[in-house]
Amino acid sequence: MPEDQRPAKCVRVLLAEDQGMLRGALALLLGMEADMEVVAQVARGDAIVDAALTSRPDVALLDIELPGLSGLDAAAALRTEVPECRVLILTTFGRPGYLRRAMEAGAAGFLVKDGPVEELAAAIRRALTGETVIDPALAAAALSAGPSPLTARERDVLNASVDGATVADMARALRLSESTVRNYLSAAIGKTGTRNRMEAVRAARRQGWL
């Protein structure tokens, strides 16, 4: 919307999305709302906090799977660095574990990307009033799924095992002994009901625990 037709006080929005076409489309559509202005756009998770410190958005819309830093980790960082900024997670992956982790990170909402932009704009306005905005179907799924059974260290080990890393590689990266890494892997495999670490990684990702 032209600057001279905007209200005196616009909602300042930061967008974090690694797909350039989608990011541009969201910025265009939100920019058409009379009371909204997209003040920053980033393609990497590790650029979110710096962009927020510079642009001081009222709301940050964050994808989850971003290069450099996940949107969930960025949400937790924003809570510390820019506490006045409300965070909405906007993702393709409506996994129950992601929702729980988003709420633990201090997010004000969790929405999937296939909804109309009018609903997204309404969610932004509701978040600014202090509401927590969650996709209803996802909320029900999260309640039925229960919390993640994995400890923080078990998640670290599963994440480190991606891309074919050996136990020795993982031990060096995490600064643990190889026997400790094996113990964490064994526990994670048991908790996910799988046969090996790669199956455990896939199962944990399906649930949104990683």
Side-chain angles (χ1 to χ4, degrees):
M1 174 169 289
E3 293 292 334
D4 59 357
Q5 295 181 26
R6 290 187 180 279
K9 174 61 176 174
C10 276
V11 180
R12 297 169 62 82
V13 179
L14 178 150
L15 284 177
E17 165 62 56
D18 61 338
Q19 297 182 37
M21 186 176 295
L22 178 56
R23 187 174 65 251
L26 280 172
L28 179 64
L29 290 169
L30 289 175
M32 295 173 68
E33 297 292 318
D35 59 342
M36 293 186 189
E37 179 183 6
V38 176
V39 296
Q41 300 180 48
V42 298
R44 295 181 58 86
D46 50 11
I48 290 171
V49 171
D50 285 345
L53 288 169
T54 300
S55 62
R56 292 293 171 177
D58 300 305
V59 174
L61 293 180
L62 310 183
D63 191 10
I64 290 179
E65 297 192 354
L66 294 167
L69 189 72
S70 78
L72 298 174
D73 290 331
L78 284 173
R79 180 171 55 178
T80 300
E81 299 292 335
V82 195
E84 69 276 14
C85 177
R86 301 283 280 172
V87 174
L88 292 177
I89 300 296
L90 184 64
T91 182
T92 304
F93 305 102
R95 297 167 183 166
Y98 280 166
L99 171 56
R100 287 182 175 273
R101 290 168 60 196
M103 297 300 101
E104 290 168 2
F110 194 104
L111 304 165
V112 291
K113 291 179 181 176
D114 58 1
V117 71
E118 292 83 6
E119 289 185 9
L120 176 58
I124 291 172
R125 297 182 186 103
R126 289 169 60 195
L128 282 177
T129 68
E131 286 189 54
T132 299
V133 188
I134 301 173
D135 180 271
L138 186 57
L143 287 172
S144 64
S148 168
L150 301 174
T151 66
R153 266 311 193 187
E154 289 161 0
R155 290 198 301 270
D156 289 343
V157 168
L158 285 182
N159 278 319
S161 71
V162 178
D163 299 327
T166 66
V167 168
D169 293 334
M170 295 158 61
R172 281 193 297 272
L174 297 171
R175 297 183 179 180
L176 299 171
S177 70
E178 292 185 24
S179 62
T180 298
V181 168
R182 290 190 181 94
N183 287 339
Y184 283 134
L185 281 174
S186 178
I189 290 167
K191 289 178 179 180
T192 54
T194 53
R195 296 172 297 179
N196 55 58
R197 62 176 175 165
M198 296 315 298
E199 286 187 6
V201 168
R202 287 194 291 270
R205 281 182 167 173
R206 280 196 301 272
Q207 292 295 327
W209 297 336
L210 294 182

